[in-house]
Amino acid sequence: MPKKTKYHSVSEKKKPKKEPVAIAAEKDKAKKIYHLLRGMHDILPKDEKYWQAFYNNAQQLAIYFQFNKIETPLLEEANLFIRSVGRGTDIVDKEMYIFEDRDGAKVALRPEFTASIVRSYITHGMWNSPQPVKLFSWGPLFRHNRPQAGRYREFFQANFEVLGAKDPAIDAELMLTAYNIYAAVGLPVEIRLNNIGSAAERERYVAELTNYYRAKRSYLCDDCRTRLNKNPLRLLDCKEEQCRPVRDEAPQIVDWLDEASRNYFMKTLEFLDELEIPYILSSYLVRGMDYYTGTVFEIYPAFESTPVKEGGNKDEPAAIETAQSALGGGGRYDVLVEEMGGRPTPAAGFALGIERSIAALKQYKEKNPINVATPAYDVYFAQLGEDGKRRALKLINDLKNSGLKIAFNFFKNSLKAQLEAANSMKVPLVLILGQKEVQDQTVIIRDMESGVQETVGQKKMESVLKKKLNKQ
Ligand code: HAM
């Protein structure tokens, strides 16, 4: 007789007894508190008014200057950015979030808008539309750089591009649009600009620049020694103290521009003079992407600020060091569309960094009386009792298309607490709905300034409110 094997059901099997310590550790694990990834940040309700200020003004100016909104995906083929932004740039060499997706495709989270917009212009044959094509975008970008004051791994930009035309007036219009956005939110800024010429002019200049820097190699920081081989133009952009004296003596690109480029530059400046936009000529301004040609510019805060050292509070939009951090930047990129496979299409654009702009605005606001408006409510809806609450929710919903901004809080039940809330929100009118009003199908409208109350039928509520608020 074969020996009988005794099978146990899983539950019968003796499970190893867990030590109490192991159980506690497991429970602790279940309670793990997750933190933000380095360089990421939450946008909190307390900052909403700043975000709204920039978004609303950027959007309104986009409409005024006839830029149409375009949204492109967060994820693109990695090579799109490698080819357009260029190898040897910090973005491509060090900062792109690049990975293989599940199909093995090499993709990247967009580090900037311009390349995606050029791709979209080509994808959709936008050269068939009337030129120039003017596009506005708003959204998050990703760069895996070393987090420090004013530098995040996810950040937002307002981005403007004009494709299909080249004229000093367009460059000036772009700078004007950027300038206007800051003027509208109340932040003084200045524009620093340069002209980095055509590819041929730059090639001659870069040869001269490289010779000059080679002779000074021993005075340079490590990054500049690498730049000397990889991307010599970026030598001019170095922020290290030790490299400054070398840069100050370096040859300047304007001396390598031909007559046409110089004339173009002069005309651009004439437009800026006419528009009374404050600008500074900055012969070392070269920008961080390879695609630029001709006009390049950056926007800086134009007020005294307290420098914040690297490693500033990483959870807050950090204060920024005025001299070091551009709020925005852009320029012409006249050959990029063609290089990316499109027809020859001159183009230009700029992007504003929203976190940095908000940080600068907050800094400026500390010492200067400017008012960044909190979205204002027209009416506070106060309710009393269960019936009042139920009916109030229905009436609030009925008002959703009225254009009125209604505040309410169903966790505050006493009238006193609700009136206090309305008062602190500076709401001009309060609606009060209690048991009696529910039965009578009425509502009380209280004028917060005079304290006068009147009862109106619920059906008339919307029109009476609008009349009182002058929002007919
Ligand atoms: P960009 O200079 O790389 O230009 O970025 C524009 C702005 O985005 C910067 O001035 C800065 O305010 C913000 N920014 C950049 N990196 C970060 C970061 N890591 N954290 C926070 N803010 C940041 C461009 O992106 C070009 N595509 C602009 C352009 C449009 N050129 C032509 N058209």
Side-chain angles (χ1 to χ4, degrees):
M1 277 275 284
K3 214 176 154 194
K4 263 192 182 165
T5 318
K6 204 173 171 194
Y7 293 98
H8 297 280
S9 75
V10 178
S11 57
E12 273 177 293
K13 257 192 194 165
K14 228 180 178 184
K15 285 186 192 153
K17 253 197 180 157
K18 270 190 185 158
E19 295 293 323
V21 180
I23 295 172
E26 213 161 79
K27 274 191 181 160
D28 271 357
K29 213 169 156 191
K31 269 197 272 171
K32 177 177 166 16
I33 292 174
Y34 293 92
H35 297 281
L36 277 166
L37 287 174
R38 248 166 85 71
M40 302 287 167
H41 65 105
D42 297 320
I43 300 169
L44 300 175
K46 73 180 169 63
D47 285 325
E48 187 56 17
K49 61 180 175 185
Y50 297 102
W51 285 83
Q52 284 299 330
F54 277 101
Y55 183 76
N56 291 341
N57 285 303
Q59 194 206 29
Q60 276 165 24
L61 281 156
I63 293 169
Y64 188 71
F65 286 102
Q66 293 151 52
F67 287 81
N68 291 312
K69 184 94 185 276
I70 180 166
E71 298 196 27
T72 57
L74 296 187
L75 215 54
E76 298 264 9
E77 227 182 288
N79 276 331
L80 170 69
F81 303 110
I82 296 173
R83 275 188 51 206
S84 55
V85 175
R87 286 191 198 280
T89 59
D90 283 352
I91 294 179
V92 167
D93 286 8
K94 303 184 198 158
E95 298 174 356
M96 276 224 290
Y97 277 88
I98 192 166
F99 55 94
E100 267 187 21
D101 74 4
R102 285 168 188 270
D103 306 323
K106 208 164 116 197
V107 296
L109 286 174
R110 63 182 184 198
E112 60 127 30
F113 279 113
T114 312
S116 301
I117 285 164
V118 165
R119 196 258 319 123
S120 185
Y121 182 90
I122 298 168
T123 306
H124 300 285
M126 289 189 210
W127 50 78
N128 291 320
S129 324
Q131 304 294 296
V133 173
K134 297 170 84 175
L135 301 167
F136 163 61
S137 308
W138 174 281
L141 296 311
F142 301 85
R143 297 183 193 173
H144 193 275
N145 41 26
R146 194 156 52 93
Q148 51 181 279
R151 223 169 240 247
Y152 295 101
R153 289 182 175 172
E154 183 189 23
F155 60 96
F156 278 67
Q157 283 182 349
N159 188 84
F160 292 74
E161 312 284 357
V162 179
L163 297 112
K166 181 176 178 181
D167 194 291
I170 289 175
D171 302 10
E173 182 194 317
L174 285 164
M175 287 183 255
L176 176 68
T177 307
Y179 185 76
N180 277 341
I181 293 173
Y182 290 107
V185 296
L187 183 68
V189 294
E190 71 192 19
I191 289 176
R192 300 187 191 165
L193 85 154
N194 194 14
N195 187 306
I196 57 167
S198 65
E201 288 159 333
R202 227 169 22 253
E203 200 178 312
R204 292 196 292 274
Y205 169 67
V206 166
E208 183 70 19
L209 190 72
T210 313
N211 283 341
Y212 167 81
Y213 266 94
R214 277 224 177 94
K216 314 268 177 192
R217 200 170 191 281
S218 55
Y219 302 107
L220 301 178
C221 70
D222 288 348
D223 273 353
C224 277
R225 289 179 193 193
T226 315
R227 285 182 190 128
L228 192 50
N229 297 326
K230 278 186 153 181
N231 197 344
L233 209 54
R234 296 286 296 162
L235 286 161
L236 297 173
D237 203 31
C238 179
K239 306 281 189 294
E240 293 295 326
E241 267 312 312
Q242 83 179 82
C243 300
R244 239 171 234 184
V246 183
R247 191 196 66 178
D248 290 347
E249 297 292 312
Q252 298 194 359
I253 184 121
V254 269
D255 298 326
W256 266 258
L257 297 185
D258 63 24
E259 212 184 322
S261 296
R262 274 187 209 207
N263 279 342
Y264 188 97
F265 196 25
M266 289 313 294
K267 282 196 182 139
T268 311
L269 301 183
E270 281 166 19
F271 273 103
L272 296 181
D273 289 334
E274 177 73 25
L275 293 164
E276 294 177 5
I277 295 177
Y279 65 85
I280 292 176
L281 294 181
S282 183
S283 49
Y284 305 121
L285 182 65
V286 287
R287 309 273 304 131
M289 288 90 172
D290 278 359
Y291 50 64
Y292 288 110
T293 51
T295 312
V296 286
F297 62 94
E298 285 182 343
I299 297 134
Y300 286 80
F303 64 95
E304 282 299 312
S305 67
T306 337
V308 168
K309 294 277 169 264
E310 285 187 9
N313 180 358
K314 61 181 161 50
D315 299 328
E316 276 279 300
I320 50 169
E321 188 171 348
T322 311
Q324 301 255 327
S325 296
L327 303 178
R332 298 211 63 81
Y333 51 95
D334 288 330
V335 286
L336 183 61
V337 179
E338 192 178 358
E339 277 175 5
M340 298 305 287
R343 297 182 184 177
T345 308
F350 74 87
L352 306 183
I354 305 304
E355 285 79 357
R356 279 190 205 172
S357 301
I358 288 177
L361 183 61
K362 282 182 169 179
Q363 246 185 313
Y364 181 70
K365 206 170 155 271
E366 273 171 24
K367 296 204 180 114
N368 300 277
I370 52 163
N371 180 26
V372 180
T374 319
Y377 287 98
D378 299 309
V379 180
Y380 191 101
F381 208 127
Q383 34 67 39
L384 295 165
E386 277 306 306
D387 289 349
K389 195 178 277 188
R390 204 175 309 115
R391 186 71 195 156
L393 189 55
K394 167 81 173 74
L395 292 177
I396 289 166
N397 190 49
D398 289 349
L399 286 171
K400 67 180 179 296
N401 297 323
S402 66
L404 298 174
K405 292 198 194 105
I406 316 279
F408 61 96
N409 183 343
F410 284 172
F411 291 101
K412 286 194 199 300
N413 291 323
S414 83
L415 183 59
K416 187 166 172 268
Q418 294 180 75
L419 288 178
E420 275 168 10
N423 201 28
S424 68
M425 292 167 95
K426 299 192 173 55
V427 173
L429 298 176
V430 173
L431 290 171
I432 303 169
L433 189 77
Q435 184 79 28
K436 181 168 184 312
E437 288 73 31
V438 173
Q439 270 167 13
D440 299 349
Q441 301 203 6
T442 59
V443 61
I444 297 169
I445 301 180
R446 181 186 172 98
D447 183 315
M448 288 299 276
E449 207 186 315
S450 64
V452 173
Q453 298 192 167
E454 83 178 91
T455 302
V456 298
Q458 290 172 8
K459 289 208 170 102
K460 286 195 177 156
M461 178 180 69
E462 181 178 334
S463 61
V464 178
L465 286 173
K466 283 185 170 170
K467 201 167 171 201
K468 285 182 181 293
L469 291 161
N470 277 332
K471 291 199 169 188
Q472 304 275 14

